[in-house]
Amino acid sequence: MPFDPNQPRDSRGRWTKGKAAGAGVALVAGVMTAAGGADVTTSVGAALDAGSSQGTAEQKAANGRKSAQKGNESEAWQRMALKEVRREVKRGLRCAAQSYGEVRQFFLTHPCNKLDQQLFALSDTQGNVIAGSIVWVTMPSAEVAAQFKELEDNYGTGDVTPFGTEILELSHFRFSGKHYKSRLDGPLVVIAETDRLRGAPSDAMLNEVASVADLLPPL
């Protein structure tokens, strides 16, 4: 697959880690109603607890990271005063088929052992909605994983794309790549991205959500 000429650029004119249009069938198709309607059953239904509104944004994010490291996703979002309104998971995806650009070429010569992905949407008390993507890529070795992460972290090298985008044609939404976090854990590479889906969540909040999502353990 050739490099996507429509990949967005950042404020300095550099290619960003933007994805193909769309964010997964259930995520975008249903989340706008789920976030705004009180009578909609959500995928997780984690209500905001009484203590979630206490403390600074930095404290909430720090608490969220602690929960994420323990694998407690719903608690992580609660601690950040967020509610998960949608979540879709795909396991056992094909790395080369689910990527483009130099990243795809890397997978063709260095096949991954496993690729799982989660798409999610979070709402806050102001009605803002955040879309997020988490990708867990397991490579054959820690050395190859480090090479992949270095490539993935660079602008203009392609990306692992959200599942379902090739059939949705949802041109009104794409990840911009401005709120991106990745980490290396032996042969595992975790990549998290967030973006605005509705309203005006702050850049700080988007970055904090990405930092929490990136700590979640593999599915």
Side-chain angles (χ1 to χ4, degrees), residues 6 18 53 62 69 84-85 102 112 134 143-144 149 157:
N6 295 317
S53 61
Q69 287 176 319
E84 187 174 67
V85 295
E102 293 178 46
C112 73
I134 314 171
E143 180 181 4
V144 177
K149 181 179 182 299
T157 58

Side-chain angles (χ1 to χ4, degrees), residues 49 59-80 212-213 215-217:
D49 60 21
Q59 290 171 335
K60 292 176 185 177
N63 290 333
R65 284 190 285 271
K66 290 178 182 178
S67 296
Q69 287 176 319
K70 297 176 181 178
N72 195 330
E73 183 173 358
S74 60
E75 181 182 276
W77 303 137
Q78 285 179 348
R79 288 188 165 194
M80 296 181 71
V212 172
L215 292 175
L216 289 168

Side-chain angles (χ1 to χ4, degrees), residues 2-218:
F3 184 81
D4 182 2
N6 295 317
Q7 188 177 2
R9 294 175 181 267
D10 64 13
S11 59
R12 297 182 182 179
R14 301 174 299 183
W15 293 113
T16 72
K17 301 299 271 188
K19 304 290 196 301
V25 174
L27 177 67
V28 177
V31 73
M32 303 308 286
T33 301
D39 59 343
V40 177
T41 300
T42 66
S43 62
V44 175
L48 302 179
D49 60 21
S52 65
S53 61
Q54 304 300 316
T56 66
E58 292 79 6
Q59 290 171 335
K60 292 176 185 177
N63 290 333
R65 284 190 285 271
K66 290 178 182 178
S67 296
Q69 287 176 319
K70 297 176 181 178
N72 195 330
E73 183 173 358
S74 60
E75 181 182 276
W77 303 137
Q78 285 179 348
R79 288 188 165 194
M80 296 181 71
L82 297 171
K83 177 181 178 180
E84 187 174 67
V85 295
R86 201 74 184 184
R87 178 172 62 186
E88 296 294 327
V89 172
K90 292 288 186 179
R91 296 179 175 86
L93 297 169
R94 298 172 59 189
C95 286
Q98 202 67 30
S99 57
Y100 66 92
E102 293 178 46
V103 170
R104 181 174 185 269
Q105 295 302 315
F106 183 88
F107 283 137
L108 290 174
T109 56
H110 304 81
C112 73
N113 288 351
K114 188 178 182 182
L115 170 61
D116 296 333
Q117 187 176 127
Q118 175 178 312
L119 296 175
F120 62 90
L122 306 170
S123 65
D124 64 15
T125 56
Q126 304 302 313
N128 300 308
V129 181
I130 296 171
S133 167
I134 314 171
V135 176
W136 295 270
V137 182
T138 304
M139 301 302 294
S141 69
E143 180 181 4
V144 177
Q147 294 173 7
F148 164 64
K149 181 179 182 299
E150 182 179 4
L151 177 67
E152 170 71 22
D153 287 347
N154 288 328
Y155 287 107
T157 58
D159 211 344
V160 178
T161 59
F163 58 82
T165 57
E166 65 276 8
I167 62 174
L168 285 181
E169 299 180 359
L170 295 174
S171 59
H172 64 284
F173 176 82
R174 69 172 67 203
F175 286 104
S176 67
K178 296 179 180 179
H179 313 288
Y180 172 95
K181 187 74 174 177
S182 68
R183 67 180 172 92
L184 181 65
D185 184 5
L188 175 69
V189 179
V190 186
I191 303 162
E193 297 188 62
T194 62
D195 230 310
R196 297 173 179 87
L197 192 56
R198 187 176 72 184
S202 68
D203 288 332
M205 175 58 76
L206 292 168
N207 289 331
E208 287 162 357
V209 170
S211 73
V212 172
D214 196 55
L215 292 175
L216 289 168

